[in-house]
Amino acid sequence: MKKSITFLFATLPVMAFAQDGGYTAGPVIGILIGLALCVGLFLVLRSLMLWYWKIDSIVRNQEMTNEILKSISKSIEEGNKINKQTLNATPKPADDPRWDFTK
Protein backbone atom coordinates (compact mmCIF):
# COMPACT_ATOMS: atom_id res chain seq x y z
CA MET A 1 0.00 0.00 0.00
CA LYS A 2 2.75 2.42 0.96
CA LYS A 3 4.73 1.61 -2.18
CA SER A 4 1.74 2.21 -4.44
CA ILE A 5 0.97 5.55 -2.79
CA THR A 6 4.62 6.59 -3.00
CA PHE A 7 4.76 5.54 -6.67
CA LEU A 8 1.56 7.45 -7.40
CA PHE A 9 2.85 10.63 -5.79
CA ALA A 10 6.24 10.22 -7.46
CA THR A 11 4.76 9.86 -10.94
CA LEU A 12 1.95 12.38 -10.55
CA PRO A 13 4.03 15.43 -11.58
CA VAL A 14 5.31 13.58 -14.62
CA MET A 15 1.81 12.61 -15.67
CA ALA A 16 0.50 16.13 -15.13
CA PHE A 17 3.47 17.64 -16.94
CA ALA A 18 3.07 15.25 -19.88
CA GLN A 19 -0.50 16.41 -20.45
CA ASP A 20 0.45 20.08 -20.61
CA GLY A 21 0.67 21.00 -24.31
CA GLY A 22 1.94 24.58 -23.90
CA TYR A 23 5.56 23.82 -23.04
CA THR A 24 7.86 23.92 -26.08
CA ALA A 25 11.42 24.07 -24.66
CA GLY A 26 12.25 20.59 -25.87
CA PRO A 27 11.74 17.09 -24.62
CA VAL A 28 15.10 16.73 -22.84
CA ILE A 29 14.66 19.84 -20.72
CA GLY A 30 11.08 18.86 -19.97
CA ILE A 31 12.16 15.41 -18.86
CA LEU A 32 14.90 16.88 -16.64
CA ILE A 33 12.47 19.34 -15.05
CA GLY A 34 9.92 16.57 -14.51
CA LEU A 35 12.58 14.33 -13.01
CA ALA A 36 13.78 17.12 -10.69
CA LEU A 37 10.19 17.73 -9.57
CA CYS A 38 9.72 14.03 -8.92
CA VAL A 39 12.90 13.80 -6.86
CA GLY A 40 11.98 16.92 -4.88
CA LEU A 41 8.46 15.68 -4.26
CA PHE A 42 9.80 12.27 -3.26
CA LEU A 43 12.17 13.81 -0.70
CA VAL A 44 9.43 15.98 0.77
CA LEU A 45 6.96 13.10 0.96
CA ARG A 46 9.61 10.77 2.35
CA SER A 47 10.39 13.12 5.22
CA LEU A 48 6.67 13.59 5.81
CA MET A 49 6.10 9.83 5.94
CA LEU A 50 9.10 9.30 8.24
CA TRP A 51 7.73 11.97 10.56
CA TYR A 52 4.18 10.59 10.46
CA TRP A 53 5.17 6.99 11.18
CA LYS A 54 7.76 8.18 13.78
CA ILE A 55 10.51 6.16 12.08
CA ASP A 56 13.28 8.51 13.22
CA SER A 57 12.29 8.20 16.89
CA ILE A 58 11.92 4.42 16.53
CA VAL A 59 15.45 4.14 15.12
CA ARG A 60 16.82 6.39 17.86
CA ASN A 61 15.12 4.23 20.54
CA GLN A 62 16.50 1.03 18.98
CA GLU A 63 20.01 2.48 18.98
CA MET A 64 19.67 3.36 22.66
CA THR A 65 18.35 -0.14 23.38
CA ASN A 66 21.33 -1.67 21.57
CA GLU A 67 23.75 0.38 23.68
CA ILE A 68 21.98 -0.68 26.88
CA LEU A 69 22.05 -4.33 25.83
CA LYS A 70 25.77 -4.09 25.03
CA SER A 71 26.48 -2.70 28.50
CA ILE A 72 24.35 -5.44 30.11
CA SER A 73 26.20 -8.09 28.11
CA LYS A 74 29.56 -6.64 29.15
CA SER A 75 28.49 -6.64 32.80
CA ILE A 76 27.39 -10.27 32.56
CA GLU A 77 30.68 -11.27 30.95
CA GLU A 78 32.63 -9.52 33.70
CA GLY A 79 30.46 -11.21 36.33
CA ASN A 80 31.08 -14.59 34.73
CA LYS A 81 34.84 -14.00 34.82
CA ILE A 82 34.68 -13.11 38.51
CA ASN A 83 32.53 -16.16 39.26
CA LYS A 84 34.92 -18.43 37.37
CA GLN A 85 37.90 -17.02 39.27
CA THR A 86 36.05 -17.50 42.55
CA LEU A 87 35.17 -21.10 41.70
CA ASN A 88 38.75 -21.86 40.69
CA ALA A 89 40.08 -20.33 43.91
CA THR A 90 37.67 -22.29 46.11
CA PRO A 91 39.26 -25.34 47.76
CA LYS A 92 37.67 -28.52 46.44
CA PRO A 93 37.61 -32.04 47.73
CA ALA A 94 39.78 -34.19 45.50
CA ASP A 95 37.45 -37.15 45.03
CA ASP A 96 34.11 -35.33 44.66
CA PRO A 97 33.06 -35.17 40.93
CA ARG A 98 30.65 -32.33 41.66
CA TRP A 99 33.61 -30.00 42.04
CA ASP A 100 35.17 -30.87 38.69
CA PHE A 101 34.36 -27.83 36.49
CA THR A 102 36.78 -28.69 33.72
CA LYS A 103 34.20 -30.70 31.78
Side-chain angles (χ1 to χ4, degrees), residues 27-28 31 35 49 52 59 72-73 82 84 86-87 96 98:
V28 175
I31 291 172
L35 187 62
M49 288 177 64
Y52 180 76
V59 169
I72 290 172
S73 175
I82 292 172
K84 197 172 199 179
T86 305
L87 285 174
D96 194 354
R98 294 179 295 167

Side-chain angles (χ1 to χ4, degrees), residues 17-72:
F17 188 71
Q19 294 177 2
D20 184 19
Y23 188 75
T24 59
V28 175
I29 295 174
I31 291 172
L32 291 176
I33 291 173
L35 187 62
L37 288 173
C38 287
V39 169
L41 185 64
F42 171 76
L43 292 175
V44 168
L45 291 176
R46 180 182 179 272
S47 63
L48 183 68
M49 288 177 64
L50 290 177
W51 168 80
Y52 180 76
W53 292 106
K54 307 279 190 264
I55 303 257
D56 52 349
S57 60
I58 291 171
V59 169
R60 188 172 40 249
N61 288 339
Q62 285 181 343
E63 288 172 350
M64 287 176 19
T65 302
N66 287 343
E67 293 300 320
I68 292 170
L69 288 174
K70 285 178 186 177
S71 68
I72 290 172

